[in-house]
Amino acid sequence: MNKSPSAIPKNIIRPLAIITLICLALSSCGGPAASGVYDGIFITGSDAEMTGQMTAMDTFMTVSVRGGGVTADELRQCMELVPDIESRLSVTLPESEISAVNAAKGKTTAVSDMTRDIISRSLEMSAMTDGAFDITAYPLVRAWGFTAGEYRVPGEDEIESLLGLVGWEKLSLDGGGVTLPEGGMIDLGAIAKGYAGDILRDALADAGAVSALLSLGGNIVCIGSKPDGSKWRVAIRDPQDLSSYIGYVDICDTSVVTSGGYERQFTGDDGKTYWHIIDPSTGYPARSGVISSTVISEDGATADALSTALFVMGVEKAAGLRREYGSFEYILVTDDGGLVVSEGISHAFTPYGEREVVIAR
Ligand code: ADP
Ligand code: MG
């Protein structure tokens, strides 16, 4: 099920009514990967306020360009880049470059510059997060049934043997292409939407857009500010009450990406809930105490990869990572309902209701 930004529950409309554009950091919610559902771009509005919509990368996407700068044809051409990126990077489309890499059985696969670039970025994110973000975790993601939507709890032996195939240092990327150990597989699901959003944002800016808001499922990207100079307001969903929000953040020229366990999960026969973000060090769904992680960064691919990584790493390691690298801010929700907000974004974040906020420095 995809959530469109028009699906704003009534209990939030009044408090946020002053906002001219509410964009919800909602998700590509729910179901299994079903790539290839792209069936065109729908453009509405005038030059002053034009909106393009499409379904691609398993999610509903909208691009709202304000204050002119691009024509409807230009907007369409920019948005068409996304299904093209998807056709290379999808793990479920049999013709994609990633499917070729995953079918290579230990041989080297030649890839395009774009695929090489995103894999190289992914390896950097793995090194930065000490393996919490790892595209080679795919054999595990698949074993838990998150790709096909056929959920199951794998046995301990199965997880143990799959862990032997996982590890970003086992992937080699050189002039010849991508090489994985036999049986190894990759999945760019935790970074591809962020990467695509950056390309779409740059294309729109090159075409002349100076004020725009892009919503690619749980990924929000903005160009400039609103035409009146005020910031874009992005509401962040409450992972414990999906009809409500933990608060909102006011931003310009940046990306906001949320990863939540609620987006894809199932309950096992043991009564436990299992979700789609896997801790590559254990082979099990991550249980760090963080149940929703939002990352704010100028670079959307970084924000996307880190939103997944911080979900795996938890509160303490997230703070350590930010102290070490800077270049991003975050908002975490913990399983006891707590909110942890990094110092650099705390002034721009407004919690909703009576929530207490812990500021991470
Ligand atoms: P969403 O796809 O809902 O936006 P994420 O960006 O957090 O959420 O990506 C989660 C997806 O990334 C999973 O569905 C899976 O395909 C893959 N994945 C799961 N765990 C990891 C991990 N530790 N590192 C990298 N990719 C992961
Ligand atoms: Mg991600």
Side-chain angles (χ1 to χ4, degrees), residues 16-220:
L16 295 185
I18 29 151
I19 303 159
T20 45
L21 179 60
I22 299 171
C23 106
L24 304 179
L26 295 185
S27 56
S28 54
C29 230
S35 296
V37 290
Y38 169 71
D39 63 354
I41 294 161
F42 305 94
I43 296 185
T44 53
S46 61
D47 276 0
E49 207 173 312
M50 201 187 311
T51 301
Q53 299 181 316
M54 69 179 164
T55 298
M57 302 180 96
D58 308 327
T59 194
F60 181 66
M61 301 187 176
T62 62
V63 176
S64 176
V65 183
R66 301 292 201 86
V70 296
T71 63
D73 274 349
E74 286 169 332
L75 175 55
R76 185 183 306 281
Q77 281 161 19
C78 291
M79 290 183 72
E80 276 168 355
L81 293 170
V82 176
D84 179 55
I85 298 167
E86 177 179 21
S87 70
R88 294 164 194 261
L89 302 183
S90 166
V91 76
T92 49
L93 291 177
E95 304 301 322
S96 77
E97 294 183 36
I98 299 308
S99 293
V101 168
N102 288 346
K105 298 195 169 74
K107 296 211 176 69
T108 300
T109 311
V111 292
S112 64
D113 288 348
M114 177 189 288
T115 300
R116 172 185 300 280
D117 183 50
I118 187 170
I119 292 175
S120 154
R121 295 283 301 280
S122 297
L123 295 176
E124 283 167 29
M125 298 313 293
S126 294
M128 175 177 172
T129 61
D130 201 14
F133 174 88
D134 190 339
I135 59 173
T136 71
Y138 186 56
L140 293 163
V141 173
R142 217 166 68 124
W144 283 90
F146 289 112
T147 311
E150 289 159 7
Y151 305 129
R152 58 188 277 273
V153 180
E156 274 174 40
D157 291 352
E158 185 181 353
I159 288 182
E160 199 56 43
S161 85
L162 292 176
L163 279 171
L165 299 169
V166 174
W168 60 278
E169 283 152 316
K170 299 186 176 98
L171 186 160
S172 123
L173 183 67
D174 59 25
V178 185
T179 318
L180 287 167
E182 194 167 349
M185 290 196 255
I186 55 171
D187 155 33
L188 298 165
I191 186 170
K193 266 188 288 170
Y195 188 82
D198 288 340
I199 292 176
L200 178 53
R201 175 203 58 207
D202 291 348
L204 285 164
D206 284 349
V210 290
S211 171
L213 192 73
L214 289 54
S215 166
L216 292 73
N219 295 30
I220 304 296

Side-chain angles (χ1 to χ4, degrees), residues 28 132-135 141 187 189-190 193 259 263-264 276-278 280 304 308 312:
S28 54
F133 174 88
D134 190 339
I135 59 173
V141 173
D187 155 33
K193 266 188 288 170
S259 286
E263 287 183 10
R264 208 174 293 171
H276 68 138
I277 298 175
I278 304 289
D304 197 356
T308 307
V312 174

